[in-house]
Coordinates of all heavy atoms in Angstrom, one line a residue:
A1 N 124.6 79.5 127.2 CA 123.8 80.7 127.6 C 123.5 81.6 126.4 O 122.4 82.2 126.3 CB 124.5 81.4 128.6
Q2 N 124.4 81.6 125.4 CA 124.3 82.4 124.3 C 123.3 81.8 123.3 O 122.5 82.5 122.6 CB 125.6 82.7 123.6 CG 126.6 83.4 124.4 CD 128.0 83.1 124.2 OE1 128.4 82.5 123.1 NE2 128.9 83.4 125.1
V3 N 123.3 80.5 123.2 CA 122.3 79.8 122.4 C 120.9 80.0 122.9 O 119.9 80.3 122.1 CB 122.6 78.3 122.3 CG1 121.5 77.5 121.6 CG2 123.9 78.0 121.7
V4 N 120.7 80.0 124.2 CA 119.4 80.2 124.8 C 119.0 81.7 124.5 O 117.8 81.9 124.3 CB 119.5 80.0 126.3 CG1 118.2 80.4 127.0 CG2 119.8 78.5 126.6
A5 N 119.9 82.6 124.5 CA 119.6 84.0 124.2 C 119.1 84.2 122.8 O 118.1 84.9 122.5 CB 120.8 84.9 124.4
V6 N 119.7 83.4 121.9 CA 119.3 83.4 120.5 C 117.9 82.8 120.3 O 117.0 83.4 119.6 CB 120.3 82.7 119.6 CG1 119.7 82.5 118.2 CG2 121.6 83.4 119.5
V7 N 117.6 81.8 121.1 CA 116.3 81.1 121.0 C 115.2 82.1 121.6 O 114.1 82.2 121.2 CB 116.3 79.8 121.8 CG1 114.8 79.3 121.9 CG2 117.2 78.8 121.1
A8 N 115.6 82.9 122.7 CA 114.7 83.9 123.2 C 114.4 84.9 122.2 O 113.2 85.4 122.1 CB 115.4 84.5 124.4
H9 N 115.4 85.3 121.4 CA 115.1 86.2 120.3 C 114.1 85.6 119.3 O 113.1 86.3 118.9 CB 116.4 86.5 119.5 CG 116.2 87.2 118.2 ND1 116.2 88.6 118.1 CD2 116.1 86.7 117.0 CE1 116.1 88.9 116.8 NE2 116.0 87.8 116.1
E10 N 114.2 84.3 118.9 CA 113.3 83.7 118.0 C 111.9 83.6 118.6 O 110.9 83.7 117.9 CB 113.8 82.3 117.6 CG 115.1 82.3 116.9 CD 115.1 83.2 115.7 OE1 114.1 83.3 115.0 OE2 116.2 83.8 115.4
L11 N 111.8 83.4 119.9 CA 110.5 83.4 120.6 C 109.9 84.7 120.6 O 108.7 84.8 120.6 CB 110.7 82.9 122.1 CG 111.0 81.4 122.3 CD1 111.4 81.2 123.7 CD2 109.8 80.6 121.9
G12 N 110.7 85.8 120.5 CA 110.2 87.1 120.3 C 109.4 87.3 119.0 O 108.4 87.9 118.9
H13 N 109.9 86.6 117.9 CA 109.2 86.6 116.7 C 107.9 85.9 116.8 O 106.9 86.4 116.3 CB 110.1 85.9 115.6 CG 111.2 86.7 115.1 ND1 111.2 87.9 114.6 CD2 112.6 86.3 115.1 CE1 112.4 88.4 114.3 NE2 113.2 87.4 114.6
W14 N 107.8 84.8 117.6 CA 106.6 84.1 117.8 C 105.6 84.9 118.6 O 104.4 85.1 118.3 CB 106.9 82.8 118.5 CG 105.7 82.1 119.0 CD1 104.7 81.6 118.3 CD2 105.4 81.8 120.4 NE1 103.7 81.0 119.1 CE2 104.1 81.1 120.4 CE3 106.0 82.0 121.6 CZ2 103.5 80.7 121.6 CZ3 105.4 81.6 122.8 CH2 104.2 80.9 122.7
K15 N 106.1 85.5 119.7 CA 105.2 86.2 120.6 C 104.6 87.4 120.0 O 103.4 87.8 120.2 CB 106.0 86.7 121.9 CG 106.1 85.7 123.0 CD 104.7 85.4 123.6 CE 104.8 84.5 124.8 NZ 103.5 84.3 125.4
H16 N 105.4 88.1 119.1 CA 104.9 89.3 118.4 C 104.1 89.0 117.1 O 103.7 89.9 116.4 CB 106.0 90.2 118.1 CG 106.6 91.0 119.3 ND1 105.9 92.0 119.9 CD2 107.7 90.8 120.0 CE1 106.6 92.4 120.9 NE2 107.7 91.7 121.0
G17 N 103.9 87.7 116.8 CA 103.2 87.3 115.6 C 103.8 87.7 114.3 O 103.1 88.0 113.4
H18 N 105.1 87.7 114.3 CA 105.8 88.2 113.1 C 105.5 87.3 111.9 O 105.5 87.9 110.7 CB 107.3 88.4 113.3 CG 107.6 89.4 114.3 ND1 108.9 89.5 114.9 CD2 106.9 90.5 114.7 CE1 108.9 90.6 115.7 NE2 107.7 91.2 115.6
F19 N 105.3 86.1 112.1 CA 105.1 85.2 110.9 C 103.8 85.6 110.3 O 103.7 85.7 109.0 CB 105.1 83.7 111.4 CG 104.9 82.7 110.3 CD1 105.9 82.3 109.5 CD2 103.6 82.2 110.0 CE1 105.7 81.4 108.4 CE2 103.4 81.3 109.0 CZ 104.5 80.9 108.2
Y20 N 102.7 85.8 111.1 CA 101.4 86.1 110.6 C 101.5 87.5 109.9 O 100.9 87.7 108.8 CB 100.4 86.2 111.7 CG 100.2 84.8 112.3 CD1 100.7 84.6 113.6 CD2 99.4 83.8 111.7 CE1 100.5 83.3 114.2 CE2 99.2 82.6 112.3 CZ 99.8 82.4 113.6 OH 99.6 81.1 114.2
K21 N 102.2 88.4 110.5 CA 102.3 89.8 110.0 C 103.0 89.8 108.6 O 102.6 90.5 107.7 CB 103.0 90.7 111.0 CG 102.1 91.0 112.2 CD 102.9 91.8 113.2 CE 102.1 92.0 114.5 NZ 102.9 92.7 115.6
A22 N 104.1 89.0 108.6 CA 104.9 88.9 107.3 C 104.0 88.3 106.2 O 104.1 88.7 105.1 CB 106.1 88.0 107.6
M23 N 103.3 87.2 106.6 CA 102.4 86.6 105.6 C 101.3 87.5 105.1 O 101.0 87.6 103.9 CB 101.8 85.3 106.1 CG 102.8 84.2 106.4 SD 103.7 83.8 104.9 CE 102.5 83.4 103.7
G24 N 100.7 88.3 106.0 CA 99.7 89.3 105.6 C 100.3 90.4 104.7 O 99.7 90.7 103.7
M25 N 101.5 90.8 105.1 CA 102.2 91.8 104.3 C 102.5 91.3 102.9 O 102.3 92.0 101.9 CB 103.5 92.2 105.0 CG 104.3 93.3 104.3 SD 105.6 93.9 105.4 CE 106.6 92.4 105.5
F26 N 102.9 90.0 102.8 CA 103.2 89.4 101.6 C 101.9 89.3 100.7 O 102.0 89.5 99.5 CB 103.8 88.0 101.8 CG 103.9 87.1 100.6 CD1 105.0 87.4 99.7 CD2 103.1 86.1 100.3 CE1 105.1 86.6 98.5 CE2 103.2 85.3 99.2 CZ 104.2 85.6 98.3
Q27 N 100.8 88.9 101.3 CA 99.6 88.7 100.6 C 99.1 90.1 100.0 O 98.6 90.2 98.9 CB 98.5 88.1 101.5 CG 98.7 86.7 101.9 CD 98.8 85.8 100.7 OE1 98.1 86.0 99.7 NE2 99.6 84.7 100.7

């Protein structure tokens, strides 16, 4: 159950587009 909660946190990064935002900030 705790592993699933951690994965839910990682899905939050995906849903909020954090990868794209981080790459844009980096550029």
Side-chain angles (χ1 to χ4, degrees):
Q2 297 150 18
V3 173
V4 176
V6 171
V7 173
H9 168 90
E10 298 306 324
L11 285 169
H13 288 304
W14 169 63
K15 275 292 186 180
H16 286 288
H18 291 162
F19 183 83
Y20 298 103
K21 292 174 183 177
M23 291 306 301
M25 184 171 62
F26 172 75
Q27 292 299 326

